[in-house]
Amino acid sequence: MKKPCIEADLVLTLIPFLESTDQEMLLHAGRAIGRICYDNRDLQEELVKVGVIPSLVRILTDHAESEPLVHVDLLALCNLADLDTAKEALSKTKVAEQLVKQLRRAESHERLEIIFEVLQTLAENDALKVQLVEAGVQEVLSDILLRLQGSSQAEDTCIVKATSDLIVSLLLGDGNCVRMVQVGVIHQLLDLLEKHVESEDISVQHAALSALRNLAIPVVNKVQMLEEGVAERIQALLRSEMPPVQFKLLGTLRMLADGQADAAEILGQDPTLLNRLVQWCDVSDDSDVSGEANRLLASILRHNRSQEVVKAVQEAQGVKHLVSMTLSEHTAMQNEALNALAIASAIDLETLEESFKETQLVQSLHKLLQDNNTSAEVKYNSMSLLCSLLNSGHLRQEIEDSKIEETLEQLCSHNNADVVKEALTTLQILKRESPY
């Protein structure tokens, strides 16, 4: 029956009925339009073009208590929301406010699933994303997590996952992230993780961890999360033996430590965490976990200003992993390791001296400086680290014996001005008479 209806332009004939004040008329018109246009993109585009979106939002606003009408209206939005033209039209209405109201009053799993499907699609649009947060969607999501976190029912688990996924989708810019943390979403996500940490189904964990990691990016959030003991709660979750979970948790801790000396000091003086990190650095069958463990170790030293942390990392035998990291195939990881070792050397070179000799750090740096494929930034950071090492008599002797001086002289004609400047500086320090 759909084809004759389409050919007769019945849809365009039915649209004016959406302006009716009679609920029965609205219900029948809405159902008919929905059935005829289902899975027909051209007709759906035509609906948006002739202005159906404001009518749908008006029905949702005026008849928010009518379950049948709301159901038909949500299904219509669900079918149309995927269209860019529909998102654009919706962004000029108060649909965000109405959807948040419906989400707050929804009780059945079916209703929640439809609303989440619409919200997830609308969250692809930046303007609608901001409108949803301004309408307070984060508070409702927080309430849903709180209400369902103790449930083991499959249907509830699906809603929890949808909630976590939507939180991730809504994290546009620091403003949205800050609002999420202010309403307590962080602790509900952690409660959720603690319940599911040893579950074999990691879909909920994955969604919650993605949200958690992104929430830890804004500086103001880092401070609040640290003050509320989030780092300690995340560490407790590291008992998980599932690599995807370990990877996300380590990434979240790294986000928290980024630029935060207090966080680096807390994490860097936890022997249990450091020993676990060193174990993960050795994991050869999961490069993601191994790489993230190395990066967290480097981050702790890079943002730390404490001699105690340097000693703790040394005692946990973490230095050898950072030396290996300088030769990583990833430039970002190389630079992170070089900067971490340079800062640690400036804080307490004496503690690290023996480990640097055992791990042949000088030889690794020489290799980086000789290799034409090494990036300019890595060469620069390698020489900065060399300058720190020259403050040790034993390491200075190693550097002199390895004939790095010849390589440095060659770098004085490098095509990168910063590399040339650092090569000249390093040569000057190297040629000074040793005080040892």
Side-chain angles (χ1 to χ4, degrees), residues 202-225:
I202 65 165
S203 59
V204 172
Q205 297 174 62
H206 182 80
L209 285 164
S210 295
L212 203 60
R213 183 185 181 282
N214 291 343
L215 288 168
I217 294 173
V219 172
V220 65
N221 279 5
K222 295 180 201 288
V223 174
Q224 184 173 341
M225 290 166 76

mmCIF file with all atom_site columns, all heavy atoms in Angstrom, residues 202-225:
data_model
loop_
_atom_site.group_PDB
_atom_site.id
_atom_site.type_symbol
_atom_site.label_atom_id
_atom_site.label_alt_id
_atom_site.label_comp_id
_atom_site.label_asym_id
_atom_site.label_entity_id
_atom_site.label_seq_id
_atom_site.pdbx_PDB_ins_code
_atom_site.Cartn_x
_atom_site.Cartn_y
_atom_site.Cartn_z
_atom_site.occupancy
_atom_site.B_iso_or_equiv
_atom_site.pdbx_formal_charge
_atom_site.auth_seq_id
_atom_site.auth_comp_id
_atom_site.auth_asym_id
_atom_site.auth_atom_id
_atom_site.pdbx_PDB_model_num
ATOM 1   N N   . ILE A 1 202 ? 32.843 -6.532 28.416 1.00 0.00 ? 202 ILE A N   1
ATOM 2   C CA  . ILE A 1 202 ? 33.532 -5.265 28.681 1.00 0.00 ? 202 ILE A CA  1
ATOM 3   C C   . ILE A 1 202 ? 32.882 -4.073 27.984 1.00 0.00 ? 202 ILE A C   1
ATOM 4   O O   . ILE A 1 202 ? 33.428 -2.979 28.004 1.00 0.00 ? 202 ILE A O   1
ATOM 5   C CB  . ILE A 1 202 ? 35.023 -5.341 28.271 1.00 0.00 ? 202 ILE A CB  1
ATOM 6   C CG1 . ILE A 1 202 ? 35.152 -5.517 26.744 1.00 0.00 ? 202 ILE A CG1 1
ATOM 7   C CG2 . ILE A 1 202 ? 35.749 -6.427 29.019 1.00 0.00 ? 202 ILE A CG2 1
ATOM 8   C CD1 . ILE A 1 202 ? 36.548 -5.238 26.245 1.00 0.00 ? 202 ILE A CD1 1
ATOM 9   N N   . SER A 1 203 ? 31.716 -4.266 27.360 1.00 0.00 ? 203 SER A N   1
ATOM 10  C CA  . SER A 1 203 ? 31.095 -3.162 26.617 1.00 0.00 ? 203 SER A CA  1
ATOM 11  C C   . SER A 1 203 ? 30.752 -1.991 27.535 1.00 0.00 ? 203 SER A C   1
ATOM 12  O O   . SER A 1 203 ? 30.992 -0.830 27.194 1.00 0.00 ? 203 SER A O   1
ATOM 13  C CB  . SER A 1 203 ? 29.847 -3.645 25.879 1.00 0.00 ? 203 SER A CB  1
ATOM 14  O OG  . SER A 1 203 ? 28.897 -4.170 26.785 1.00 0.00 ? 203 SER A OG  1
ATOM 15  N N   . VAL A 1 204 ? 30.200 -2.284 28.718 1.00 0.00 ? 204 VAL A N   1
ATOM 16  C CA  . VAL A 1 204 ? 29.861 -1.225 29.673 1.00 0.00 ? 204 VAL A CA  1
ATOM 17  C C   . VAL A 1 204 ? 31.127 -0.560 30.181 1.00 0.00 ? 204 VAL A C   1
ATOM 18  O O   . VAL A 1 204 ? 31.223 0.670  30.267 1.00 0.00 ? 204 VAL A O   1
ATOM 19  C CB  . VAL A 1 204 ? 29.037 -1.787 30.855 1.00 0.00 ? 204 VAL A CB  1
ATOM 20  C CG1 . VAL A 1 204 ? 28.861 -0.719 31.929 1.00 0.00 ? 204 VAL A CG1 1
ATOM 21  C CG2 . VAL A 1 204 ? 27.684 -2.264 30.372 1.00 0.00 ? 204 VAL A CG2 1
ATOM 22  N N   . GLN A 1 205 ? 32.129 -1.386 30.504 1.00 0.00 ? 205 GLN A N   1
ATOM 23  C CA  . GLN A 1 205 ? 33.397 -0.840 31.003 1.00 0.00 ? 205 GLN A CA  1
ATOM 24  C C   . GLN A 1 205 ? 34.038 0.073  29.970 1.00 0.00 ? 205 GLN A C   1
ATOM 25  O O   . GLN A 1 205 ? 34.537 1.149  30.292 1.00 0.00 ? 205 GLN A O   1
ATOM 26  C CB  . GLN A 1 205 ? 34.364 -1.980 31.331 1.00 0.00 ? 205 GLN A CB  1
ATOM 27  C CG  . GLN A 1 205 ? 33.879 -2.895 32.444 1.00 0.00 ? 205 GLN A CG  1
ATOM 28  C CD  . GLN A 1 205 ? 34.806 -4.080 32.603 1.00 0.00 ? 205 GLN A CD  1
ATOM 29  O OE1 . GLN A 1 205 ? 35.969 -3.903 32.906 1.00 0.00 ? 205 GLN A OE1 1
ATOM 30  N NE2 . GLN A 1 205 ? 34.309 -5.278 32.373 1.00 0.00 ? 205 GLN A NE2 1
ATOM 31  N N   . HIS A 1 206 ? 34.030 -0.375 28.716 1.00 0.00 ? 206 HIS A N   1
ATOM 32  C CA  . HIS A 1 206 ? 34.653 0.397  27.642 1.00 0.00 ? 206 HIS A CA  1
ATOM 33  C C   . HIS A 1 206 ? 34.006 1.775  27.513 1.00 0.00 ? 206 HIS A C   1
ATOM 34  O O   . HIS A 1 206 ? 34.697 2.797  27.411 1.00 0.00 ? 206 HIS A O   1
ATOM 35  C CB  . HIS A 1 206 ? 34.531 -0.359 26.317 1.00 0.00 ? 206 HIS A CB  1
ATOM 36  C CG  . HIS A 1 206 ? 35.184 0.322  25.165 1.00 0.00 ? 206 HIS A CG  1
ATOM 37  N ND1 . HIS A 1 206 ? 36.537 0.257  24.943 1.00 0.00 ? 206 HIS A ND1 1
ATOM 38  C CD2 . HIS A 1 206 ? 34.669 1.126  24.197 1.00 0.00 ? 206 HIS A CD2 1
ATOM 39  C CE1 . HIS A 1 206 ? 36.829 0.986  23.866 1.00 0.00 ? 206 HIS A CE1 1
ATOM 40  N NE2 . HIS A 1 206 ? 35.715 1.507  23.399 1.00 0.00 ? 206 HIS A NE2 1
ATOM 41  N N   . ALA A 1 207 ? 32.678 1.810  27.548 1.00 0.00 ? 207 ALA A N   1
ATOM 42  C CA  . ALA A 1 207 ? 31.959 3.077  27.419 1.00 0.00 ? 207 ALA A CA  1
ATOM 43  C C   . ALA A 1 207 ? 32.244 3.991  28.612 1.00 0.00 ? 207 ALA A C   1
ATOM 44  O O   . ALA A 1 207 ? 32.513 5.183  28.447 1.00 0.00 ? 207 ALA A O   1
ATOM 45  C CB  . ALA A 1 207 ? 30.458 2.810  27.309 1.00 0.00 ? 207 ALA A CB  1
ATOM 46  N N   . ALA A 1 208 ? 32.189 3.416  29.827 1.00 0.00 ? 208 ALA A N   1
ATOM 47  C CA  . ALA A 1 208 ? 32.425 4.224  31.033 1.00 0.00 ? 208 ALA A CA  1
ATOM 48  C C   . ALA A 1 208 ? 33.856 4.740  31.093 1.00 0.00 ? 208 ALA A C   1
ATOM 49  O O   . ALA A 1 208 ? 34.104 5.891  31.480 1.00 0.00 ? 208 ALA A O   1
ATOM 50  C CB  . ALA A 1 208 ? 32.117 3.383  32.275 1.00 0.00 ? 208 ALA A CB  1
ATOM 51  N N   . LEU A 1 209 ? 34.809 3.900  30.688 1.00 0.00 ? 209 LEU A N   1
ATOM 52  C CA  . LEU A 1 209 ? 36.221 4.304  30.720 1.00 0.00 ? 209 LEU A CA  1
ATOM 53  C C   . LEU A 1 209 ? 36.530 5.382  29.688 1.00 0.00 ? 209 LEU A C   1
ATOM 54  O O   . LEU A 1 209 ? 37.333 6.280  29.941 1.00 0.00 ? 209 LEU A O   1
ATOM 55  C CB  . LEU A 1 209 ? 37.120 3.078  30.491 1.00 0.00 ? 209 LEU A CB  1
ATOM 56  C CG  . LEU A 1 209 ? 37.236 2.127  31.682 1.00 0.00 ? 209 LEU A CG  1
ATOM 57  C CD1 . LEU A 1 209 ? 37.812 0.791  31.243 1.00 0.00 ? 209 LEU A CD1 1
ATOM 58  C CD2 . LEU A 1 209 ? 38.096 2.737  32.769 1.00 0.00 ? 209 LEU A CD2 1
ATOM 59  N N   . SER A 1 210 ? 35.892 5.301  28.529 1.00 0.00 ? 210 SER A N   1
ATOM 60  C CA  . SER A 1 210 ? 36.080 6.338  27.508 1.00 0.00 ? 210 SER A CA  1
ATOM 61  C C   . SER A 1 210 ? 35.586 7.683  28.039 1.00 0.00 ? 210 SER A C   1
ATOM 62  O O   . SER A 1 210 ? 36.238 8.717  27.858 1.00 0.00 ? 210 SER A O   1
ATOM 63  C CB  . SER A 1 210 ? 35.318 5.977  26.230 1.00 0.00 ? 210 SER A CB  1
ATOM 64  O OG  . SER A 1 210 ? 35.856 4.818  25.640 1.00 0.00 ? 210 SER A OG  1
ATOM 65  N N   . ALA A 1 211 ? 34.443 7.650  28.708 1.00 0.00 ? 211 ALA A N   1
ATOM 66  C CA  . ALA A 1 211 ? 33.896 8.880  29.293 1.00 0.00 ? 211 ALA A CA  1
ATOM 67  C C   . ALA A 1 211 ? 34.826 9.411  30.380 1.00 0.00 ? 211 ALA A C   1
ATOM 68  O O   . ALA A 1 211 ? 35.139 10.606 30.435 1.00 0.00 ? 211 ALA A O   1
ATOM 69  C CB  . ALA A 1 211 ? 32.508 8.601  29.881 1.00 0.00 ? 211 ALA A CB  1
ATOM 70  N N   . LEU A 1 212 ? 35.304 8.522  31.226 1.00 0.00 ? 212 LEU A N   1
ATOM 71  C CA  . LEU A 1 212 ? 36.165 8.895  32.344 1.00 0.00 ? 212 LEU A CA  1
ATOM 72  C C   . LEU A 1 212 ? 37.455 9.555  31.857 1.00 0.00 ? 212 LEU A C   1
ATOM 73  O O   . LEU A 1 212 ? 37.883 10.597 32.366 1.00 0.00 ? 212 LEU A O   1
ATOM 74  C CB  . LEU A 1 212 ? 36.505 7.633  33.154 1.00 0.00 ? 212 LEU A CB  1
ATOM 75  C CG  . LEU A 1 212 ? 36.918 7.801  34.606 1.00 0.00 ? 212 LEU A CG  1
ATOM 76  C CD1 . LEU A 1 212 ? 35.820 8.477  35.395 1.00 0.00 ? 212 LEU A CD1 1
ATOM 77  C CD2 . LEU A 1 212 ? 37.221 6.432  35.210 1.00 0.00 ? 212 LEU A CD2 1
ATOM 78  N N   . ARG A 1 213 ? 38.054 8.968  30.827 1.00 0.00 ? 213 ARG A N   1
ATOM 79  C CA  . ARG A 1 213 ? 39.318 9.495  30.303 1.00 0.00 ? 213 ARG A CA  1
ATOM 80  C C   . ARG A 1 213 ? 39.123 10.897 29.728 1.00 0.00 ? 213 ARG A C   1
ATOM 81  O O   . ARG A 1 213 ? 39.921 11.802 29.958 1.00 0.00 ? 213 ARG A O   1
ATOM 82  C CB  . ARG A 1 213 ? 39.863 8.556  29.212 1.00 0.00 ? 213 ARG A CB  1
ATOM 83  C CG  . ARG A 1 213 ? 41.215 8.980  28.652 1.00 0.00 ? 213 ARG A CG  1
ATOM 84  C CD  . ARG A 1 213 ? 41.625 8.073  27.503 1.00 0.00 ? 213 ARG A CD  1
ATOM 85  N NE  . ARG A 1 213 ? 42.916 8.451  26.970 1.00 0.00 ? 213 ARG A NE  1
ATOM 86  C CZ  . ARG A 1 213 ? 43.116 9.477  26.150 1.00 0.00 ? 213 ARG A CZ  1
ATOM 87  N NH1 . ARG A 1 213 ? 42.091 10.225 25.783 1.00 0.00 ? 213 ARG A NH1 1
ATOM 88  N NH2 . ARG A 1 213 ? 44.322 9.766  25.700 1.00 0.00 ? 213 ARG A NH2 1
ATOM 89  N N   . ASN A 1 214 ? 38.044 11.085 28.967 1.00 0.00 ? 214 ASN A N   1
ATOM 90  C CA  . ASN A 1 214 ? 37.787 12.393 28.364 1.00 0.00 ? 214 ASN A CA  1
ATOM 91  C C   . ASN A 1 214 ? 37.449 13.455 29.410 1.00 0.00 ? 214 ASN A C   1
ATOM 92  O O   . ASN A 1 214 ? 37.792 14.624 29.241 1.00 0.00 ? 214 ASN A O   1
ATOM 93  C CB  . ASN A 1 214 ? 36.655 12.293 27.345 1.00 0.00 ? 214 ASN A CB  1
ATOM 94  C CG  . ASN A 1 214 ? 37.054 11.501 26.117 1.00 0.00 ? 214 ASN A CG  1
ATOM 95  O OD1 . ASN A 1 214 ? 38.239 11.295 25.866 1.00 0.00 ? 214 ASN A OD1 1
ATOM 96  N ND2 . ASN A 1 214 ? 36.093 11.042 25.356 1.00 0.00 ? 214 ASN A ND2 1
ATOM 97  N N   . LEU A 1 215 ? 36.792 13.037 30.485 1.00 0.00 ? 215 LEU A N   1
ATOM 98  C CA  . LEU A 1 215 ? 36.456 13.980 31.555 1.00 0.00 ? 215 LEU A CA  1
ATOM 99  C C   . LEU A 1 215 ? 37.705 14.468 32.292 1.00 0.00 ? 215 LEU A C   1
ATOM 100 O O   . LEU A 1 215 ? 37.693 15.526 32.927 1.00 0.00 ? 215 LEU A O   1
ATOM 101 C CB  . LEU A 1 215 ? 35.492 13.325 32.554 1.00 0.00 ? 215 LEU A CB  1
ATOM 102 C CG  . LEU A 1 215 ? 34.058 13.123 32.052 1.00 0.00 ? 215 LEU A CG  1
ATOM 103 C CD1 . LEU A 1 215 ? 33.292 12.204 32.998 1.00 0.00 ? 215 LEU A CD1 1
ATOM 104 C CD2 . LEU A 1 215 ? 33.330 14.447 31.904 1.00 0.00 ? 215 LEU A CD2 1
ATOM 105 N N   . ALA A 1 216 ? 38.786 13.694 32.206 1.00 0.00 ? 216 ALA A N   1
ATOM 106 C CA  . ALA A 1 216 ? 40.026 14.048 32.931 1.00 0.00 ? 216 ALA A CA  1
ATOM 107 C C   . ALA A 1 216 ? 40.911 15.017 32.150 1.00 0.00 ? 216 ALA A C   1
ATOM 108 O O   . ALA A 1 216 ? 41.984 15.382 32.612 1.00 0.00 ? 216 ALA A O   1
ATOM 109 C CB  . ALA A 1 216 ? 40.817 12.773 33.245 1.00 0.00 ? 216 ALA A CB  1
ATOM 110 N N   . ILE A 1 217 ? 40.453 15.470 30.979 1.00 0.00 ? 217 ILE A N   1
ATOM 111 C CA  . ILE A 1 217 ? 41.304 16.338 30.150 1.00 0.00 ? 217 ILE A CA  1
ATOM 112 C C   . ILE A 1 217 ? 41.354 17.793 30.639 1.00 0.00 ? 217 ILE A C   1
ATOM 113 O O   . ILE A 1 217 ? 42.442 18.352 30.786 1.00 0.00 ? 217 ILE A O   1
ATOM 114 C CB  . ILE A 1 217 ? 40.873 16.255 28.668 1.00 0.00 ? 217 ILE A CB  1
ATOM 115 C CG1 . ILE A 1 217 ? 41.149 14.845 28.123 1.00 0.00 ? 217 ILE A CG1 1
ATOM 116 C CG2 . ILE A 1 217 ? 41.604 17.295 27.820 1.00 0.00 ? 217 ILE A CG2 1
ATOM 117 C CD1 . ILE A 1 217 ? 40.617 14.588 26.722 1.00 0.00 ? 217 ILE A CD1 1
ATOM 118 N N   . PRO A 1 218 ? 40.217 18.472 30.926 1.00 0.00 ? 218 PRO A N   1
ATOM 119 C CA  . PRO A 1 218 ? 40.298 19.867 31.376 1.00 0.00 ? 218 PRO A CA  1
ATOM 120 C C   . PRO A 1 218 ? 41.048 20.006 32.698 1.00 0.00 ? 218 PRO A C   1
ATOM 121 O O   . PRO A 1 218 ? 40.850 19.197 33.614 1.00 0.00 ? 218 PRO A O   1
ATOM 122 C CB  . PRO A 1 218 ? 38.825 20.268 31.545 1.00 0.00 ? 218 PRO A CB  1
ATOM 123 C CG  . PRO A 1 218 ? 38.062 19.304 30.703 1.00 0.00 ? 218 PRO A CG  1
ATOM 124 C CD  . PRO A 1 218 ? 38.820 18.020 30.787 1.00 0.00 ? 218 PRO A CD  1
ATOM 125 N N   . VAL A 1 219 ? 41.885 21.036 32.812 1.00 0.00 ? 219 VAL A N   1
ATOM 126 C CA  . VAL A 1 219 ? 42.714 21.221 34.016 1.00 0.00 ? 219 VAL A CA  1
ATOM 127 C C   . VAL A 1 219 ? 41.850 21.343 35.266 1.00 0.00 ? 219 VAL A C   1
ATOM 128 O O   . VAL A 1 219 ? 42.153 20.738 36.300 1.00 0.00 ? 219 VAL A O   1
ATOM 129 C CB  . VAL A 1 219 ? 43.606 22.483 33.862 1.00 0.00 ? 219 VAL A CB  1
ATOM 130 C CG1 . VAL A 1 219 ? 44.318 22.798 35.168 1.00 0.00 ? 219 VAL A CG1 1
ATOM 131 C CG2 . VAL A 1 219 ? 44.614 22.276 32.751 1.00 0.00 ? 219 VAL A CG2 1
ATOM 132 N N   . VAL A 1 220 ? 40.757 22.110 35.185 1.00 0.00 ? 220 VAL A N   1
ATOM 133 C CA  . VAL A 1 220 ? 39.909 22.297 36.359 1.00 0.00 ? 220 VAL A CA  1
ATOM 134 C C   . VAL A 1 220 ? 39.325 20.962 36.826 1.00 0.00 ? 220 VAL A C   1
ATOM 135 O O   . VAL A 1 220 ? 39.136 20.737 38.031 1.00 0.00 ? 220 VAL A O   1
ATOM 136 C CB  . VAL A 1 220 ? 38.793 23.328 36.063 1.00 0.00 ? 220 VAL A CB  1
ATOM 137 C CG1 . VAL A 1 220 ? 37.834 22.823 34.997 1.00 0.00 ? 220 VAL A CG1 1
ATOM 138 C CG2 . VAL A 1 220 ? 38.033 23.682 37.329 1.00 0.00 ? 220 VAL A CG2 1
ATOM 139 N N   . ASN A 1 221 ? 39.047 20.057 35.889 1.00 0.00 ? 221 ASN A N   1
ATOM 140 C CA  . ASN A 1 221 ? 38.544 18.734 36.253 1.00 0.00 ? 221 ASN A CA  1
ATOM 141 C C   . ASN A 1 221 ? 39.612 17.899 36.928 1.00 0.00 ? 221 ASN A C   1
ATOM 142 O O   . ASN A 1 221 ? 39.331 17.150 37.868 1.00 0.00 ? 221 ASN A O   1
ATOM 143 C CB  . ASN A 1 221 ? 38.031 17.998 35.017 1.00 0.00 ? 221 ASN A CB  1
ATOM 144 C CG  . ASN A 1 221 ? 36.631 18.430 34.613 1.00 0.00 ? 221 ASN A CG  1
ATOM 145 O OD1 . ASN A 1 221 ? 36.070 19.352 35.200 1.00 0.00 ? 221 ASN A OD1 1
ATOM 146 N ND2 . ASN A 1 221 ? 36.075 17.789 33.617 1.00 0.00 ? 221 ASN A ND2 1
ATOM 147 N N   . LYS A 1 222 ? 40.844 17.988 36.444 1.00 0.00 ? 222 LYS A N   1
ATOM 148 C CA  . LYS A 1 222 ? 41.953 17.221 37.051 1.00 0.00 ? 222 LYS A CA  1
ATOM 149 C C   . LYS A 1 222 ? 42.049 17.545 38.535 1.00 0.00 ? 222 LYS A C   1
ATOM 150 O O   . LYS A 1 222 ? 42.158 16.653 39.381 1.00 0.00 ? 222 LYS A O   1
ATOM 151 C CB  . LYS A 1 222 ? 43.289 17.572 36.380 1.00 0.00 ? 222 LYS A CB  1
ATOM 152 C CG  . LYS A 1 222 ? 43.436 17.195 34.922 1.00 0.00 ? 222 LYS A CG  1
ATOM 153 C CD  . LYS A 1 222 ? 44.811 17.625 34.429 1.00 0.00 ? 222 LYS A CD  1
ATOM 154 C CE  . LYS A 1 222 ? 44.881 17.766 32.927 1.00 0.00 ? 222 LYS A CE  1
ATOM 155 N NZ  . LYS A 1 222 ? 44.855 16.506 32.223 1.00 0.00 ? 222 LYS A NZ  1
ATOM 156 N N   . VAL A 1 223 ? 42.019 18.844 38.826 1.00 0.00 ? 223 VAL A N   1
ATOM 157 C CA  . VAL A 1 223 ? 42.151 19.290 40.221 1.00 0.00 ? 223 VAL A CA  1
ATOM 158 C C   . VAL A 1 223 ? 41.016 18.733 41.075 1.00 0.00 ? 223 VAL A C   1
ATOM 159 O O   . VAL A 1 223 ? 41.250 18.165 42.152 1.00 0.00 ? 223 VAL A O   1
ATOM 160 C CB  . VAL A 1 223 ? 42.171 20.834 40.292 1.00 0.00 ? 223 VAL A CB  1
ATOM 161 C CG1 . VAL A 1 223 ? 42.165 21.299 41.738 1.00 0.00 ? 223 VAL A CG1 1
ATOM 162 C CG2 . VAL A 1 223 ? 43.389 21.381 39.554 1.00 0.00 ? 223 VAL A CG2 1
ATOM 163 N N   . GLN A 1 224 ? 39.782 18.884 40.593 1.00 0.00 ? 224 GLN A N   1
ATOM 164 C CA  . GLN A 1 224 ? 38.631 18.401 41.365 1.00 0.00 ? 224 GLN A CA  1
ATOM 165 C C   . GLN A 1 224 ? 38.669 16.885 41.527 1.00 0.00 ? 224 GLN A C   1
ATOM 166 O O   . GLN A 1 224 ? 38.390 16.351 42.598 1.00 0.00 ? 224 GLN A O   1
ATOM 167 C CB  . GLN A 1 224 ? 37.320 18.815 40.688 1.00 0.00 ? 224 GLN A CB  1
ATOM 168 C CG  . GLN A 1 224 ? 36.089 18.420 41.511 1.00 0.00 ? 224 GLN A CG  1
ATOM 169 C CD  . GLN A 1 224 ? 34.794 18.972 40.928 1.00 0.00 ? 224 GLN A CD  1
ATOM 170 O OE1 . GLN A 1 224 ? 34.804 19.908 40.141 1.00 0.00 ? 224 GLN A OE1 1
ATOM 171 N NE2 . GLN A 1 224 ? 33.668 18.384 41.317 1.00 0.00 ? 224 GLN A NE2 1
ATOM 172 N N   . MET A 1 225 ? 39.036 16.178 40.447 1.00 0.00 ? 225 MET A N   1
ATOM 173 C CA  . MET A 1 225 ? 39.078 14.716 40.507 1.00 0.00 ? 225 MET A CA  1
ATOM 174 C C   . MET A 1 225 ? 40.136 14.232 41.485 1.00 0.00 ? 225 MET A C   1
ATOM 175 O O   . MET A 1 225 ? 39.930 13.256 42.216 1.00 0.00 ? 225 MET A O   1
ATOM 176 C CB  . MET A 1 225 ? 39.318 14.148 39.108 1.00 0.00 ? 225 MET A CB  1
ATOM 177 C CG  . MET A 1 225 ? 38.103 14.322 38.179 1.00 0.00 ? 225 MET A CG  1
ATOM 178 S SD  . MET A 1 225 ? 38.466 14.028 36.437 1.00 0.00 ? 225 MET A SD  1
ATOM 179 C CE  . MET A 1 225 ? 38.559 12.226 36.398 1.00 0.00 ? 225 MET A CE  1
#
